[in-house]
Amino acid sequence: MAGINIPGVTDQYKTNETVEKLMQIERIPLTREQKLLDEYKAQKDAWREINNQLTSLRDSTKTLYSYENPFNSKITSSTDEFAITAEASRSADIQSFKIDVIQPATADRFLSSELDADYKVPQGTYIYKIGEKTVTLNWKGGSIKDFSNAINKRSNNIVKSMIIGSSGGKRTLLIEGLITGKENKLIFEGDAKTFAESSGMISSVKNDTIKFGSAKNEFSNVQPVQKAQTRMPSLSLNSVKVLEDGVKVSPRGAYQVNIPQQAKNKQNLHLTFNIKAENVQDITEELNKIPEEPIIPEAGFAEFGGITISNSSSNTLLPHSNIKNSVPLEPINSRDVIYAVMEDGSEKLISYSDIYSENGEKIDIDLSQYKGIKAIAIKNENTAAELTVSEITAYNPAENAGYVPNHAVSVADDAIIKYEGITITRPSNEIDDVVPEIKLTLHEKTEKTATISVKPDKEASKDALINFVGKYNQAVGKLNVLSQAKPEIIEELDYLSDDEKEKLREQLGMFQTDFSLSSIKGNMQSILAAGYSFSDDATVTMLSQIGIGTNASGFTGTYSQSRLRGYLEIDEKKLDSALEANLDDIKNMFGYDSDGDLIIDSGIAFKLDKQLTAYTQTGGILALKTSTLDTKIKSSENKISKLEEQMNDKEAELRGKYSSMEGTLSSLENQQNTISNFTRQNNKQ
């Protein structure tokens, strides 16, 4: 009996193999188109990669002439890094200056007395204030540890708390303000004040101030100053008047007021007063109009026989209006106004910031900084300024809040520095308004004067140039691979991994006939090899002068083909020397203004950026390349889709025909078998 045959499944007659062979012939156009599509996609990937390489090079190039160029970067150094450091902006001048840190700015840091480990902080509303900032804690009561944690959770960078172990298993609570400055005292209100007192952190005191310096009978003459101009009026108490709004000190006026003994006996005392300066008519204008009396020699005398006869006095008979002064007085404009007068008679100048502002300036003098002080002197040596000085108040800053700390780790105070001999106070340890474009950060008091130096950041410039060379060589390497079918080009790129090299082998010579690659490479080489005379006295005008070139190391030995492929080399020693001696020239060589309109329009980096932008920008040359390929890819994908549909139909048609044929053959075979069986049975009979 013949076996069961299912057309298209049992493939008794190898129709599947026959159909597949026929379809292979039919698929030749499809296979060709799929291969072409793969080529298009590979080309697109290659263009994208070269675009990325050139874009990366362009970005590196831009940094060499933009506002953020590394040649303007500055670094700072301090001879006392533990006390003061500095940070310079790109616009800072190259300079060095002297700084003394008298004291860094501090915040209030108060400790409680020793508390038992199981001490409970009572329920209440705890309010802590610094300036206008407030932290409010609605406390339900609990352990001192939980209380400390609750404060820290609500800190808002205003206050901070810490538990410190002490002797015998006791604990102390530290509460500190996080804002420095004399005006930023830590204030306890509500239950916070009650708890601070009960825990021994603070004690209530009565604020006791002493006022003086507002009555004329308190004033005395100051020590005379050396006069540089012979007819200039001396400093005089006569030019000082006490008015309702304060003590008026007219030009060339001065007075001295002694500090009361009761104030000098107090601890931690400060003196505070307001002083304001206003411009007035310069007194030298009127003084120069007053004629100077002529100096007439004495008339003489005659003596004879013990009798002396004096001559009559001479008379010039000249009217006073005709007598002119020989040397006009010059106006005086002096900042030396406030002095601390010491017991030994010496004087120390007290600095200020701006007494010419609308409201003047509040002067605060910490007497602990002036050991042996006995008086304050106001000297208005100016000829065109009038001073208004308020009453002087002696006070203890710690008593202002109505209490004093019992265990103060530190108290809120301003930073005090001396810059080039000028004493300056600021509430913060970060000071950016003293030296232009430089931020000072104070850490500790200086033991001796620190020197801050601002220099060019040559390492940043060097790193940027090395990065530029690296990006350039990577771009040139990619251009070489795509435009030349030379396997050694890939082997020369020893910084690549084996996988990266294998990928490049697939791209080798992919665009040999595309002249845009050789064009951009040639243009870049021309830009780098050119000279840039940005000024008549320029020392460095070519890249090769700073140790960067296609033969930077001065190779003169055996011929090397790789040296002719356009890669840049760096002579590091020569580069270091050039950066040290000609940094400004190097900066200008990469980008400079050639026509005086304050816009950079020439230089290596500028021209290279402009050249690369034409290729990499949106709608640029490389974008057109990929856009064209996108069109081809889309067309090819559509064609492949249609061919695949045709192939499916053709395969279905062939399989239908061969299945029908196979069915017919199978039916005939079955009929043949039936006849054969019938014949055999008849023969047996």
Side-chain angles (χ1 to χ4, degrees):
M1 180 178 178
I4 298 175
N5 179 52
I6 302 175
V9 177
T10 57
D11 197 18
Q12 179 180 359
Y13 303 102
K14 298 187 180 298
T15 56
N16 288 334
E17 182 179 344
T18 303
V19 170
E20 185 59 34
K21 288 180 179 180
L22 291 172
M23 287 305 301
Q24 286 179 2
I25 298 173
E26 294 289 339
R27 289 194 187 100
I28 290 176
L30 175 61
T31 303
R32 186 186 303 116
E33 194 63 36
Q34 288 175 331
K35 183 178 179 181
L36 186 60
L37 176 61
D38 290 339
E39 291 178 0
Y40 290 155
K41 290 182 176 180
Q43 289 176 8
K44 182 179 178 180
D45 289 341
W47 283 121
R48 281 179 174 174
E49 289 172 12
I50 191 60
N51 184 69
N52 291 338
Q53 295 276 16
L54 294 178
T55 299
S56 180
L57 173 59
R58 187 190 65 178
D59 292 342
S60 177
T61 300
K62 275 184 177 293
T63 64
L64 296 177
Y65 79 95
S66 67
Y67 173 76
E68 297 295 331
N69 75 79
F71 309 110
N72 284 337
S73 297
K74 307 295 192 307
I75 56 173
T76 60
S77 62
S78 170
T79 56
D80 193 346
E81 298 280 350
F82 293 102
I84 180 170
T85 54
E87 181 180 340
S89 73
R90 298 172 56 80
S91 302
D93 293 333
I94 305 301
Q95 59 183 304
S96 65
F97 51 88
K98 306 290 186 181
I99 289 282
D100 291 286
V101 180
I102 309 302
Q103 68 178 40
T106 51
D108 281 332
R109 303 181 70 209
F110 301 156
L111 278 171
S112 71
S113 298
E114 291 186 344
L115 306 172
D116 293 332
D118 58 354
Y119 183 91
K120 301 295 182 182
V121 180
Q123 178 182 356
T125 301
Y126 292 74
I127 302 173
Y128 300 94
K129 296 178 66 176
I130 297 180
E132 298 180 354
K133 297 183 177 181
T134 302
V135 172
T136 301
L137 172 62
N138 295 315
W139 177 244
K140 297 181 179 180
S143 69
I144 189 172
K145 180 179 179 181
D146 291 340
F147 178 72
S148 177
N149 291 337
I151 291 177
N152 291 334
K153 286 180 180 179
R154 293 162 178 78
S155 167
N156 293 328
N157 294 320
I158 300 172
V159 294
K160 179 182 176 182
S161 179
M162 183 184 301
I163 302 295
I164 301 175
S166 57
S167 59
K170 301 281 189 178
R171 299 285 185 271
T172 57
L173 175 66
L174 172 70
I175 295 182
E176 62 177 310
L178 298 178
I179 306 174
T180 60
K182 183 184 301 182
E183 301 298 325
N184 296 315
K185 298 290 185 182
L186 176 58
I187 306 298
F188 302 89
E189 292 185 355
D191 293 310
K193 183 177 180 182
T194 303
F195 169 66
E197 290 178 342
S198 65
S199 65
M201 187 174 290
I202 61 174
S203 295
S204 297
V205 295
K206 181 180 179 181
N207 190 10
D208 188 14
T209 61
I210 301 169
K211 298 181 181 295
F212 62 98
S214 60
K216 192 71 176 282
N217 59 10
E218 296 179 81
F219 302 162
S220 60
N221 287 309
V222 300
Q223 298 180 30
V225 297
Q226 183 178 2
K227 293 193 298 182
Q229 303 181 68
T230 56
R231 294 186 300 110
M232 182 65 70
S234 300
L235 296 181
S236 173
L237 188 59
N238 295 330
S239 298
V240 178
K241 296 179 181 179
V242 177
L243 304 176
E244 290 185 2
D245 60 343
V247 180
K248 294 287 185 181
V249 186
S250 299
R252 304 300 293 173
Y255 70 95
Q256 177 176 307
V257 57
N258 290 331
I259 300 172
Q261 189 61 42
Q262 63 189 82
K264 290 194 287 186
N265 292 337
K266 287 181 172 289
Q267 298 292 323
N268 303 320
L269 206 67
H270 285 232
L271 301 182
T272 182
F273 58 92
N274 195 79
I275 181 169
K276 179 181 177 182
E278 293 180 292
N279 293 316
V280 295
Q281 183 71 31
D282 198 311
I283 63 173
T284 58
E285 296 178 8
E286 291 298 323
L287 290 173
N288 285 328
K289 294 178 182 179
I290 300 175
E292 187 176 13
E293 292 292 337
I295 300 175
I296 302 174
E298 294 182 4
F301 60 90
E303 187 176 19
F304 180 76
I307 299 174
T308 302
I309 301 174
S310 298
N311 293 326
S312 297
S313 298
S314 301
N315 188 348
T316 63
L317 302 180
L318 295 173
H320 289 296
S321 59
N322 292 334
I323 303 175
K324 302 296 183 181
N325 294 328
S326 57
V327 180
L329 290 171
E330 295 291 334
I332 297 175
N333 182 15
S334 173
R335 285 183 55 91
D336 300 344
V337 172
I338 311 169
Y339 293 84
V341 183
M342 316 309 288
E343 294 287 354
D344 61 3
S346 63
E347 295 182 342
K348 293 184 178 180
L349 180 66
I350 297 174
S351 301
Y352 58 85
S353 296
D354 183 15
I355 61 176
Y356 282 88
S357 62
E358 182 179 356
N359 298 316
E361 182 174 346
K362 183 178 181 181
I363 306 298
D364 194 288
I365 304 170
D366 183 355
L367 294 189
S368 65
Q369 302 294 326
Y370 298 89
K371 301 295 184 182
I373 187 174
K374 73 170 184 178
I376 297 295
I378 305 297
K379 299 181 181 182
N380 186 10
E381 297 183 53
N382 299 285
T383 58
E386 182 179 68
L387 306 179
T388 302
V389 185
S390 72
E391 185 179 51
I392 301 175
T393 300
Y395 75 103
N396 184 342
E399 297 175 354
N400 278 2
Y403 49 80
V404 293
N406 295 325
H407 312 285
V409 178
S410 65
V411 294
D413 207 349
D414 291 339
I416 303 176
I417 64 173
K418 187 173 286 187
Y419 166 64
E420 299 293 2
I422 302 172
T423 302
I424 298 168
T425 62
R426 292 291 184 272
S428 172
N429 285 319
E430 293 188 350
I431 303 173
D432 59 5
D433 60 350
V434 172
V435 186
E437 304 296 335
I438 294 177
K439 182 175 76 173
L440 303 173
T441 302
L442 313 184
H443 307 290
E444 299 289 345
K445 177 181 178 180
T446 51
E447 296 299 327
K448 59 181 181 179
T449 301
T451 300
I452 305 295
S453 298
V454 182
K455 299 179 180 178
D457 190 352
K458 295 184 176 66
E459 283 301 316
S461 300
K462 180 179 178 180
D463 290 344
L465 290 172
I466 291 174
N467 179 66
F468 163 72
V469 170
K471 298 291 186 183
Y472 179 85
N473 285 344
Q474 288 177 353
V476 169
K478 192 71 173 180
L479 291 171
N480 287 338
V481 169
L482 293 174
S483 61
Q484 301 177 49
K486 299 178 180 179
E488 60 269 22
I489 292 176
I490 298 176
E491 301 306 319
E492 292 166 1
L493 305 177
D494 52 10
Y495 55 85
L496 297 177
S497 66
D498 291 340
D499 290 341
E500 290 172 329
K501 287 184 177 181
E502 185 60 35
K503 183 178 180 180
L504 286 182
R505 290 188 184 96
E506 297 174 1
Q507 298 178 339
L508 190 62
M510 183 177 286
F511 302 131
Q512 290 185 78
T513 59
D514 193 316
F515 295 106
S516 59
L517 297 184
S518 57
S519 175
I520 188 173
K521 178 181 173 182
N523 291 338
M524 291 195 302
Q525 289 176 326
S526 297
I527 291 170
L528 296 183
Y532 298 88
S533 299
F534 45 86
S535 67
D536 294 336
D537 56 352
T539 302
V540 175
T541 59
M542 298 184 69
L543 202 59
S544 59
Q545 290 179 273
I546 66 172
I548 298 177
T550 53
N551 191 15
S553 58
F555 177 80
T556 57
T558 307
Y559 165 80
S560 174
Q561 180 65 32
S562 64
R563 289 178 176 270
L564 302 178
R565 302 199 198 281
Y567 300 115
L568 292 177
E569 296 178 352
I570 298 177
D571 184 337
E572 192 168 355
K573 185 176 181 181
K574 190 173 181 180
L575 177 60
D576 289 339
S577 178
L579 288 171
E580 188 66 33
N582 303 106
L583 186 62
D584 286 341
D585 280 4
I586 296 173
K587 171 190 170 183
N588 289 325
M589 180 177 64
F590 280 97
Y592 64 95
D593 171 23
S594 64
D595 54 13
D597 62 355
L598 303 180
I599 299 175
I600 292 176
D601 55 17
S602 190
I604 293 174
F606 173 82
K607 290 193 173 183
L608 195 57
D609 174 35
K610 188 175 181 180
Q611 181 70 35
L612 292 170
T613 299
Y615 282 81
T616 60
Q617 67 183 348
T618 302
I621 296 173
L622 297 183
L624 291 175
K625 297 283 187 183
T626 55
S627 177
T628 300
L629 285 170
D630 284 337
T631 302
K632 291 181 177 180
I633 288 172
K634 185 176 181 179
S635 175
S636 181
E637 287 175 341
N638 290 335
K639 190 173 182 179
I640 287 172
S641 179
K642 291 179 180 179
L643 287 173
E644 285 178 339
E645 186 177 346
Q646 292 175 7
M647 293 304 102
N648 290 336
D649 291 343
K650 186 65 175 179
E651 184 175 0
E653 178 186 351
L654 289 174
R655 290 193 180 279
K657 289 180 178 180
Y658 276 90
S659 294
S660 176
M661 179 193 70
E662 189 175 291
T664 301
L665 291 175
S666 179
S667 176
L668 292 173
E669 183 178 350
N670 289 336
Q671 291 177 8
Q672 181 182 3
N673 290 336
T674 300
I675 294 171
S676 297
N677 290 335
F678 178 76
T679 303
R680 283 197 296 273
Q681 289 177 0
N682 288 333
N683 290 335
K684 288 180 180 180
Q685 295 177 359

